[in-house]
Amino acid sequence: MPFKLPISTEPGDYDTNFNSNVWQRAAEIICKRHRLSYSHLRRSPIGENIIFLVDDTLIIKIYAPVRDQYRREKAALEFAATASLSIETPQVRHSGELEGWKYLVMTQLSGLPMKEVWPELASSEQLDMASQLGMVMKELHAHAAPADGALNRDWHGFVERQARESVERQRACNANPEWLESLPEFLAARLEMLPADFEPVLLHGDVHFGNLLVRKTEGKWRITGLFDFADSFCGFREYDFVAPGVLMVQGRRELQRAMLRAYGYEEADLDPGLRRRLMLLTVLYECSDLRKYALRLAPDAINLTLEELESAIWTFA
């Protein structure tokens, strides 16, 4: 029977075909094309893109045509490979296209997912991990961002678009009606808090438990790897605190302070102004879902005002 990948022009098409058996055959063809021998080729149960594990050495990632994640991740990984980071990032081994579907073949990083380790860590160990995370992000941001290419998405245009679409984005996530009513005024009062001129950095865009790897060395857990750069682009450095802020250390004052201080913020910088900027960026985040973030705090947090939600999520100030 001839091999044929599904045609995907709308997000709904991708969702419909996401679990199709055809992807196994696609991964086999990619391996044959690049002469990759393997004992086991298995689909990863996680990820919004189609991911296969080639033994324990390589990753095949097939990207949805309706998004631009292929170009972003490829460019970000190539940039990270030149940055001399103290942690590992995947190395691109091959890239290509199969019937309109772009793919990357990358190295598979060693280590344990942080999400498996975090709940068992003592408070002091979690503080140390938060500090390590701040230092990792500082390292990533220390290098001048690429001047052009797939990662340059026009930061100011991105902010304007996210602000313009914020009400409908949150409405689609079943947000509190009070938030929907308050958002236009909230944004109008705060957008000027973001600097007009700044030195852009490479933003990972999705730093959280699932994309960080750790390893125990000499009795101490250390962050050793960061992957999934598919949401990367260049912009204002504080944007990168949103994902860990709402998915890892939400509402936890000391962990937030440890992350921010390790990044380089002075005590005087941890003020309500920074908190307001981070809440603004939380609203502007590419996949912002205020209801989900509130529920991570407590079931009744969905009834807070926007200002109360800000103070509940960002507690460092």
Side-chain angles (χ1 to χ4, degrees):
M1 181 179 296
F3 173 72
K4 189 70 175 175
L5 284 176
I7 297 173
S8 180
T9 57
E10 300 292 339
D13 298 335
Y14 184 65
D15 295 340
T16 299
N17 294 295
F18 187 75
N19 293 314
S20 171
N21 292 331
V22 74
W23 301 116
Q24 181 74 31
R25 177 63 179 142
E28 292 170 358
I29 289 174
I30 291 170
C31 286
K32 183 177 181 180
R33 174 182 290 181
H34 298 289
R35 300 179 181 178
L36 306 177
S37 59
Y38 57 87
S39 297
H40 302 285
L41 181 64
R42 59 187 179 88
R43 176 86 182 261
S44 171
I46 60 175
E48 62 179 288
N49 289 292
I50 295 156
I51 298 172
F52 280 84
L53 309 178
V54 185
D55 293 332
D56 59 356
T57 57
L58 296 172
I59 296 280
I60 295 172
K61 191 168 186 177
I62 305 173
Y63 297 82
V66 294
R67 298 188 67 182
D68 196 29
Q69 290 187 317
Y70 164 80
R71 293 177 66 245
R72 290 162 69 179
E73 182 148 34
K74 184 174 184 291
L77 290 176
E78 290 170 349
F79 177 80
T82 68
S84 301
L85 302 177
S86 63
I87 62 169
E88 292 182 295
T89 56
Q91 303 295 303
V92 176
R93 291 289 182 257
H94 305 282
S95 61
E97 182 176 323
L98 186 63
E99 294 191 8
W101 295 77
K102 301 281 190 179
Y103 66 84
L104 290 178
V105 179
M106 302 169 279
T107 56
Q108 192 176 150
L109 304 183
S110 61
L112 292 173
M114 184 186 277
K115 63 183 178 181
E116 295 181 8
V117 173
W118 183 263
E120 307 303 321
L121 297 180
S123 296
S124 59
E125 292 176 306
Q126 290 185 348
L127 275 172
D128 183 63
M129 280 285 199
S131 294
Q132 290 182 46
L133 179 58
M135 290 185 283
V136 165
M137 294 170 69
K138 182 178 181 179
E139 270 191 15
L140 185 63
H141 294 168
H143 304 272
D148 52 29
L151 297 172
N152 285 274
R153 304 177 62 204
D154 176 15
W155 168 259
H156 296 295
F158 169 77
V159 167
E160 291 172 5
R161 182 174 64 256
Q162 291 297 103
R164 185 172 60 250
E165 298 173 355
S166 63
V167 173
E168 290 310 311
R169 183 180 305 106
Q170 299 304 330
R171 192 191 310 279
C173 297
N174 298 316
N176 179 337
E178 190 276 337
W179 300 346
L180 302 179
E181 183 179 347
S182 302
L183 269 173
E185 183 178 349
F186 177 92
L187 291 168
R190 298 185 183 219
L191 280 173
E192 63 182 18
M193 295 179 179
L194 296 179
D197 296 311
F198 60 91
E199 191 69 30
V201 300
L202 173 64
L203 303 166
H204 179 277
D206 197 23
V207 178
H208 61 73
F209 290 129
N211 293 334
L212 289 161
L213 296 173
V214 298
R215 187 183 301 124
K216 200 165 192 176
T217 304
E218 297 179 352
K220 180 179 179 179
W221 286 104
R222 296 191 179 279
I223 298 175
T224 57
L226 174 64
F227 60 96
D228 194 358
F229 283 73
D231 292 322
S232 295
F233 67 109
C234 296
F236 181 45
R237 63 185 67 242
E238 289 180 355
Y239 180 88
D240 246 356
F241 292 120
V242 173
V246 298
L247 301 176
M248 293 178 62
V249 296
Q250 67 278 9
R252 301 190 64 180
R253 172 182 168 86
E254 295 308 318
L255 295 180
Q256 291 178 7
R257 290 172 63 84
M259 177 180 68
L260 293 167
R261 289 301 303 274
Y263 184 87
Y265 286 87
E266 300 293 339
E267 183 65 33
D269 299 326
L270 305 183
D271 62 4
L274 176 59
R275 185 185 69 203
R276 286 192 288 269
R277 287 200 306 278
L278 290 178
M279 187 60 186
L280 170 61
L281 291 167
T282 301
V283 172
L284 298 177
Y285 190 60
E286 188 165 13
C287 301
S288 179
D289 184 342
L290 296 179
R291 178 182 174 85
K292 179 175 72 174
Y293 306 153
L295 288 171
R296 287 178 175 273
L297 296 168
D300 60 353
I302 59 174
N303 299 316
L304 298 175
T305 66
L306 281 178
E307 288 74 14
E308 290 169 340
L309 183 62
E310 173 188 304
S311 296
I313 293 175
W314 298 105
T315 53
F316 62 84

